[in-house]
Amino acid sequence: MLSRLSSIAARRAPARFASLAAYEDYGSTVFKGDVADAYLKKQGSSAELLNDPTWTEHSADIVAAAILDWAVDNGADSYCHWFQPMAASGVRHGLTGQVQNKMIEFDRVTNKIKFDFKGKDLIRGETDGSSFPNGGLRATHTAGGYLAHDTSSPIFLRGDIVHIPSAFVSYYGTALDEKTPLLRSNEALNTQGLRLLKALGYEPKELVANIGLEQEIFLIPREQYLRRMDLQMTGRTIMGKDAPRGQEMCDHYMAAMSTAQPALEAMQEMQQECWKMGIPLKTRHREVAPGQYEFAPLFGTNTTQIDQNIMVMQVIEEVAAKHGLAALLQEKPFANINGSGKHNNWSIGTTDGINILNPEQLSKASGNDNAFAVVMSAIISAIDTHGDLMRMSIATPGNDFRLGACEAPPAITSTYLGDDMTNYLEAFKDGKTGAYSPGTKNMQMGTRYVRPISIPAEDRNRTSPFPYGGARFEFRAVGSAQNTSMVNTVLNTMTAQKFKHFADAIEAGADPIKVAQDALNDSWKVIFNGDNYDEANQEMLTKNGLWRIDSAVEANHKMVDPKNIALFEEMKVLQADECHARENVLHDHYTGTVEMEALCMIDMINQHVIPSCKDAEVGPVSDLATSVDTLKAAVAAIHAAETPYEAATLARVLRLETMVDIREFCDAAEGVVPADLWTLPTYKEMLFLDQTDASYVM
Ligand code: ADP
Ligand code: MG
């Protein structure tokens, strides 16, 4: 009896978050820093070795021995090359590919086994390149695909598996994954950025892109999720009447995390799992829509941060299930309430910690008060020239429901700089050069008891797709389910190209200030500090010639625009055949998503909506029956399309027009069928954990 009581007491003990003891596992399962150092020292080396990527050529056996030792100490005896096939968002669990191999040698004669893991096992792997989306780059008879360790992202352990972050290419070296182009774009940014900075009198060793990825999700009762075919198959509700309560009171946003329902405990466990792998998930809170939550990490270098974000998404889905919840990562799981995004905060830094998007840091490090204005001019010019590619990089099926609505910035690419920075650059462009120092403002609250505080001179603009927010840009329109590699590939590549063009001109004798002024004059129109949600402003921006691409399918087609192929080729990020393949993959992903949604709709109408209406003898039964025929015909037309582009174009109409209309019949039926005869979980049952969850027993 006593032991039972004490075990209940132990279970109920509050998490030890008030002391660092809770973090004793932080980073214990990632092979870097002190952890790697201890094991590499036993092999006569040190963690220093990992800083130079050439270790894979001369010291792979040493690292492999250390990793095997570390893995076994942690109860792991398998490894995988962990890679990121194209078009994984939305359906593929974990967004990655992996084959789990034992680090064991089996002796056929003696039947004895021993641990075995060599350098050659670690640094490369081989797989079937034809069975992943490849846009025509691979076929079953030309299937070779190769995996090679990406040394810019640390090896980590989860469960019994050592995960080796890897790039994935074809037998001819064409990129078959999300990561390879990103790595190439990092090279371009580094090379061209160093050239430009050198021309401005500053010579750091290396440049990296730093990003911070905020992740929004929905958490709903698993019981209901398991009764919704559409959520299970496609991640979003294809039908469902609005609940009587939505966001009218803004009551969910940042409300207390209730201890009476499972979301808090689930999020704590998600954080703890991530901490072990050295993923610094710092922030958690409730988001705007009912049932919506967010995590934000501390930022880091882009490949590491993206790998970590992908693992965060996997952990979220798995841990949610343990708490009786289902996590929805999709951009628009529910109609008429906010969808989910993934803000991609982006800056460029030197490896010794100078952020070149921070005006004061750059002025001080370079000794050149105009260096910051030159860098900003290049980025502004890049947004103006390549806003279409920024739009392409966020053109996911789910985002088609968000961009343009008042929840994610519209599909018009502008940048918000704030009045202070805009005034500074305007003066710079017109001849008044010199350093920018961000202003601060003293804020008075009107009471003695709350003392004045100092705040930035800049307000925040949450309607801009790409605001500058003091030392970083925040790409706010990114979708929650995305692997953000292409987003960052585009940001790096377009910036690298402008850095290159600036450096070319300055090295040929042009005045850097004049180069920057000309670029600003050409591209001034992309700076917009007003309300991007306002339709009159949207019209004005469109008239001014900003990139505006409302359709995700048209945006994806920009992948093969001659301007963009030229950009990717010039920066050695993608060749023309890789661009064409990628476009096809994007279209197929869009079409595949819509087809699954349409087929779900057919089944749900036939198996749920029509039978419920018939039982209740109410509802638009004949309209529903006709709708099923319409859906079937539309799917057949998509199958008959000649090209992936054409199929995706038809799919978009099916999804955003035909299915939206048909949904109205379904939702009308839901409104009139008696509750006990309605067989699908309702929005009310899915979205309000605080009010409806009965499954949670402490
Ligand atoms: P906000 O409310 O501004 O979106 P959050 O704290 O939710 O703020 O998220 C900000 C994200 O931006 C975090 O992941 C943070 O680490 C990241 N971040 C902050 N500074 C930089 C920077 N210089 N470069 C890249 N990311 C940054
Ligand atoms: Mg943010």
Side-chain angles (χ1 to χ4, degrees):
M1 186 63 197
L2 199 90
S3 71
R4 196 173 156 259
L5 274 179
S6 64
S7 84
I8 290 173
R11 204 148 41 87
R12 287 193 176 167
R16 297 165 300 154
F17 288 145
S19 96
L20 283 181
Y23 301 86
E24 66 198 10
D25 286 342
Y26 185 86
S28 61
T29 59
V30 60
F31 196 72
K32 66 181 275 191
D34 289 353
V35 170
D37 201 52
Y39 286 93
L40 282 163
K41 284 223 164 90
K42 286 206 246 168
Q43 305 297 327
S45 184
S46 78
E48 273 289 289
L49 180 67
L50 302 175
N51 295 338
D52 175 354
T54 61
W55 69 256
T56 62
E57 285 146 42
H58 51 70
S59 302
D61 281 331
I62 292 176
V63 178
I67 283 180
L68 176 60
D69 196 4
W70 166 67
V72 172
D73 278 357
N74 282 280
D77 66 353
S78 302
Y79 72 96
C80 67
H81 288 103
W82 187 64
F83 63 100
Q84 302 169 14
M86 286 189 267
S89 76
V91 277
R92 172 179 282 267
H93 179 59
L95 276 77
T96 54
Q98 55 192 278
V99 172
Q100 300 166 357
N101 280 304
K102 287 281 176 205
M103 298 191 285
I104 284 176
E105 190 182 291
F106 299 86
D107 189 317
R108 280 198 193 83
V109 180
T110 64
N111 254 0
K112 291 223 161 77
I113 57 170
K114 62 176 187 206
F115 285 118
D116 179 51
F117 185 57
K118 302 268 173 8
K120 65 175 171 40
D121 306 319
L122 167 61
I123 59 169
R124 53 158 276 189
E126 193 183 336
T127 187
D128 171 3
S130 69
S131 299
F132 298 97
N134 59 69
L137 288 171
R138 299 278 73 194
T140 316
H141 64 293
T142 58
Y146 292 88
L147 298 158
H149 173 41
D150 161 22
T151 61
S152 72
S153 183
I155 291 165
F156 63 93
L157 242 161
R158 184 162 183 254
D160 65 344
I161 321 283
V162 174
H163 290 65
I164 305 166
S166 300
F168 175 38
V169 297
S170 77
Y171 180 72
Y172 299 102
T174 46
L176 296 176
D177 65 351
E178 300 284 345
K179 173 167 265 197
T180 305
L182 176 67
L183 286 161
R184 294 178 188 155
S185 78
N186 282 344
E187 294 296 345
L189 187 71
N190 176 50
T191 308
Q192 304 305 335
L194 288 181
R195 274 184 70 210
L196 176 61
L197 291 177
K198 186 172 179 197
L200 298 171
Y202 176 37
E203 296 190 57
K205 240 177 53 216
E206 192 181 338
L207 289 179
V208 290
N210 287 310
I211 63 170
L213 297 171
E214 304 163 44
Q215 180 70 46
E216 293 178 353
I217 55 170
F218 279 84
L219 294 173
I220 67 165
R222 194 160 191 87
E223 219 188 318
Q224 313 294 6
Y225 168 79
L226 295 176
R227 295 175 49 227
R228 287 289 306 216
M229 164 195 315
D230 48 1
L231 281 179
Q232 289 177 279
M233 296 294 106
T234 76
R236 83 174 179 96
T237 55
I238 310 296
M239 58 184 71
K241 191 178 89 54
D242 293 347
R245 171 169 158 187
Q247 292 171 197
E248 16 317 81
M249 308 277 193
C250 304
D251 55 285
H252 200 262
Y253 194 42
M254 297 193 191
M257 298 283 298
S258 169
T259 54
Q261 48 101 328
L264 172 61
E265 257 198 12
M267 290 183 87
Q268 286 176 338
E269 191 179 330
M270 290 163 191
Q271 282 179 299
Q272 281 172 313
E273 252 222 58
C274 289
W275 287 335
K276 268 195 233 157
M277 294 181 278
I279 301 175
L281 272 195
K282 269 184 83 151
T283 308
R284 61 166 191 247
H285 63 84
R286 296 199 197 213
E287 254 301 328
V288 173
Q292 196 181 28
Y293 297 83
E294 173 175 318
F295 281 118
L298 176 69
F299 67 92
T301 52
N302 60 9
T303 48
T304 303
Q305 184 81 192
I306 288 169
D307 287 359
Q308 291 183 339
N309 174 252
I310 285 169
M311 189 40 85
V312 166
M313 289 163 78
Q314 183 176 336
V315 166
I316 285 173
E317 285 196 315
E318 291 172 15
V319 172
K322 292 206 253 168
H323 294 264
L325 297 170
L328 309 178
L329 300 168
Q330 243 64 327
E331 282 85 7
K332 194 70 182 179
F334 301 98
N336 297 329
I337 56 170
N338 272 21
S340 298
K342 176 146 58 197
H343 299 165
N344 188 116
N345 297 273
W346 174 82
S347 66
I348 306 168
T350 69
T351 39
D352 42 20
I354 304 297
N355 176 358
I356 71 165
L357 298 193
N358 179 318
E360 284 159 321
Q361 283 183 17
L362 181 58
S363 283
K364 193 152 167 251
S366 65
N368 178 347
D369 282 346
N370 294 310
F372 176 73
V374 176
V375 168
M376 283 296 275
S377 309
I379 296 173
I380 289 163
S381 169
I383 301 166
D384 184 26
T385 310
H386 298 302
D388 57 337
L389 276 180
M390 292 172 69
R391 173 68 181 90
M392 180 281 295
S393 74
I394 53 165
T396 69
N399 247 358
D400 246 12
F401 286 114
R402 293 175 68 234
L403 300 176
C406 283
E407 55 173 282
I412 303 172
T413 316
S414 69
T415 180
Y416 165 89
L417 299 181
D419 290 341
D420 248 28
M421 171 72 71
T422 308
N423 292 339
Y424 164 72
L425 287 177
E426 187 151 35
F428 174 89
K429 152 172 100 67
D430 298 335
K432 187 176 169 294
T433 58
Y436 171 69
S437 45
T440 54
K441 156 170 146 174
N442 205 27
M443 173 123 108
Q444 307 280 345
M445 324 267 176
T447 159
R448 270 182 311 138
Y449 289 105
V450 182
R451 303 305 302 156
I453 54 171
S454 160
I455 59 168
E458 297 301 335
D459 203 346
R460 295 183 55 152
N461 188 335
R462 291 178 171 265
T463 70
S464 173
F466 199 60
Y468 173 80
R472 68 180 198 251
F473 282 92
E474 181 178 14
F475 200 173
R476 294 180 59 84
V478 179
S480 55
Q482 282 191 260
N483 173 326
T484 66
S485 293
M486 185 45 79
V487 167
N488 290 285
T489 299
V490 167
L491 294 179
N492 292 350
T493 307
M494 69 188 208
T495 304
Q497 186 200 44
K498 295 295 174 171
F499 283 175
K500 174 175 185 287
H501 293 176
F502 277 32
D504 288 347
I506 300 166
E507 285 171 10
D511 172 13
I513 292 175
K514 177 80 174 44
V515 171
Q517 287 169 334
D518 288 348
L520 279 179
N521 275 320
D522 284 347
S523 298
W524 195 253
K525 65 176 184 293
V526 292
I527 302 169
F528 179 62
N529 293 339
D531 180 1
N532 289 259
Y533 291 166
D534 179 89
E535 274 184 30
N537 285 336
Q538 293 177 4
E539 256 169 57
M540 182 269 293
L541 294 171
T542 312
K543 269 206 197 102
N544 285 353
L546 269 67
W547 283 110
R548 172 180 191 152
I549 308 171
D550 290 337
S551 150
V553 175
E554 293 314 312
N556 283 331
H557 185 50
K558 288 290 176 186
M559 193 73 218
V560 295
D561 188 287
K563 164 183 86 71
N564 297 330
I565 293 180
L567 166 75
F568 284 124
E569 289 197 330
E570 182 185 3
M571 292 295 105
K572 299 191 167 52
V573 170
L574 291 168
Q575 296 303 313
D577 58 341
E578 293 173 300
C579 292
H580 283 282
R582 224 156 263 263
E583 187 209 8
N584 285 338
V585 169
L586 290 168
H587 289 321
D588 288 347
H589 181 248
Y590 193 96
T591 305
T593 303
V594 177
E595 178 168 352
M596 293 186 300
E597 292 177 350
L599 296 181
C600 271
M601 193 171 222
I602 293 172
D603 281 355
M604 287 167 78
I605 292 175
N606 281 335
Q607 296 167 8
H608 290 275
V609 185
I610 290 180
S612 290
C613 288
K614 286 188 172 161
D615 280 356
E617 295 176 5
V618 292
V621 175
S622 73
D623 288 328
L624 287 163
T626 317
S627 298
V628 168
D629 295 337
T630 308
L631 289 167
K632 285 182 177 164
V635 171
I638 291 171
H639 286 172
E642 302 261 314
T643 63
Y645 180 29
E646 192 193 318
T649 306
L650 292 174
R652 185 166 188 273
V653 175
L654 168 58
R655 186 170 194 238
L656 298 187
E657 295 172 25
T658 317
M659 285 176 65
V660 168
D661 291 344
I662 293 175
R663 179 185 180 136
E664 284 183 17
F665 297 128
C666 303
D667 295 356
E670 187 183 331
V672 292
V673 169
D676 63 335
L677 296 179
W678 189 253
T679 52
L680 289 166
T682 64
Y683 273 28
K684 178 197 151 274
E685 288 161 335
M686 290 186 283
L687 282 168
F688 299 90
L689 279 179
D690 290 325
Q691 282 76 25
T692 56
D693 182 72
S695 63
Y696 188 52
V697 187
M698 260 278 274

